[in-house]
Amino acid sequence: MTISVGFIGLGNMGNPMALNVLKQGYALTVFDMNPNAIKNVVAAGAKGASSAADVLANADVVFTSLPGSPEVEPFYLAAGGAIEKAKAGAVLIDLSSVLPATPRKIEAAAKARGLKFLEAPVSGGVTGARAATLAVMTGGDAAVLEQVRPLLDAIGKNIYHVGPAGAANTIKAINNMMSTVNACAMMEGFAVGLKAGLDLKTMADIVKASSGNSNALARVDRALIPRDFEPGFKVALMNKDLETFHTIAKEVHVPVSFSNMAQHYQQSALAAGLGEKDTSVIFTLIEQRAALAGKKA
Ligand code: NAD
């Protein structure tokens, strides 16, 4: 029997992930509240739905990739939401990065209706989503993961079962904290080097071959040199992930420090109206503070 797959939320991440599911030959129906977001996937052979309910009525497996808990919780749990509208026996998989409490609530509601639910936040950015090389962190029933593993293989080859619902979004928030701290440290470091008269590309090449290397260095060629700050990964979403990290840290009573500085930068970018830009736009704020703005990076 061929399974029917639904995909809801085709933004920067959902769009390439949905295309990769389609490429594996699955019958795919897609919906996004922004009709432009699904156009290329429909042109590639998916069926466009006019509402989330249309997707949910027919799909055996439904993926969601929405911004965060404020969107995900009502989507699943509100009256007339996904838990109510899903086809009997369906598997619902949320790929969004959310508070750990969110998948716990959704899993309980899904079970009460005889549905299966898996939290599956991803990492690897738009580049990884396009290349189908994402890390997929799952939380919930391991048997549900095994049921949908071939589908998850379509979006990323590094698939982990972390623990019960909430566990995957816990490690996801920790990962994003580490990723953004690396990026902010890299951008501050290179601002100092630029002010001291060094060349950005030369500094990046040296650090890539040295002990300061990290994935953050990929931003130099991708965003800092071309000065391309289109997302990618929006400041508003990284700010949300740092909120999640701080919520978890407070719950388990771990005093944390670096994440506060990284969030200070996200907050500055939000205050400057840059929330919909890529997180690399923080470099422009560091340049302004360093009185580097206007100098060619
Ligand atoms: P995005 O803002 O580009 O996309 C979100 C999409 O959801 C939009 O197209 C929006 O129209 C749609 N949407 C919102 N509410 C909806 C609803 N109720 N019904 C239907 N559609 C709805 O965000 P993104 O960058 O694609 O991120 C999606 C999730 O993946 C977020 O949780 C984010 O934190 C996470 N994530 C993003 C990246 C990245 O690099 N962009 C990497 C890993 C994880």
Side-chain angles (χ1 to χ4, degrees):
M1 189 190 92
T2 55
I3 65 163
S4 163
V5 181
F7 208 115
I8 297 166
L10 284 82
N12 287 314
M13 291 297 284
N15 191 292
M17 289 193 278
L19 271 177
N20 284 331
V21 170
L22 188 66
K23 274 184 204 154
Q24 291 306 310
Y26 291 100
L28 182 70
T29 307
V30 293
F31 174 73
D32 191 292
M33 61 196 286
N34 168 10
N36 290 330
I38 66 169
K39 278 185 179 162
N40 64 322
V41 184
V42 171
K47 191 172 159 224
S50 54
S51 68
D54 281 351
V55 176
L56 289 155
N58 298 306
D60 302 303
V61 179
V62 180
F63 286 103
T64 49
S65 178
L66 306 177
S69 291
E71 293 78 19
V72 171
E73 290 197 11
F75 179 86
Y76 279 91
L77 301 171
I83 297 295
E84 236 179 80
K85 297 281 181 193
K87 186 175 159 181
V91 184
L92 309 175
I93 306 172
D94 184 34
L95 303 160
S96 325
S97 309
V98 293
L99 288 162
T102 298
R104 291 181 193 130
K105 290 180 213 169
I106 297 172
E107 185 190 62
K111 279 188 176 160
R113 238 216 84 201
L115 303 167
K116 294 173 183 168
F117 175 75
L118 202 63
E119 63 165 341
V122 298
S123 182
V126 171
T127 313
R130 287 189 185 131
T133 57
L134 294 170
V136 185
M137 308 159 216
T138 67
D141 188 345
V144 178
L145 166 59
E146 291 319 314
Q147 187 184 340
V148 296
R149 188 181 280 276
L151 250 175
L152 292 177
D153 271 339
I155 61 171
K157 298 289 175 251
N158 298 306
I159 299 169
Y160 301 93
H161 183 252
V162 191
N169 271 290
T170 302
I171 183 59
K172 170 65 187 168
I174 295 166
N175 173 78
N176 276 28
M177 180 281 292
M178 293 170 69
S179 157
T180 191
V181 166
N182 280 339
C184 291
M186 181 269 290
M187 292 188 283
E188 277 190 354
F190 287 166
V192 171
L194 284 166
K195 201 81 192 276
L198 305 190
D199 172 66
L200 182 54
K201 179 82 179 140
T202 307
M203 286 192 283
D205 287 346
I206 293 168
V207 176
K208 271 184 205 163
S210 304
S211 54
N213 191 23
S214 74
N215 277 348
L217 271 291
R219 292 166 187 261
V220 174
D221 286 333
R222 189 180 68 228
L224 305 194
I225 290 176
R227 301 194 77 76
D228 177 0
F229 302 118
E230 291 311 307
F233 189 29
K234 295 172 189 167
V235 167
L237 294 178
M238 183 57 90
N239 185 62
K240 171 249 329 176
D241 290 344
L242 286 165
E243 281 295 312
T244 299
F245 177 77
H246 286 136
T247 300
I248 300 165
K250 282 176 191 155
E251 277 171 9
V252 297
H253 310 304
V254 177
V256 292
S257 46
F258 299 109
S259 52
N260 290 309
M261 205 54 228
Q263 191 167 20
H264 164 104
Y265 275 125
Q266 316 301 326
Q267 291 283 317
S268 302
L270 287 169
L274 301 171
E276 296 297 299
K277 297 289 182 189
D278 188 79
T279 50
S280 295
V281 80
I282 283 168
F283 190 57
T284 64
L285 302 180
I286 297 172
E287 284 177 319
Q288 281 164 24
R289 290 181 185 190
L292 265 168
K295 289 201 178 187
K296 200 172 169 346

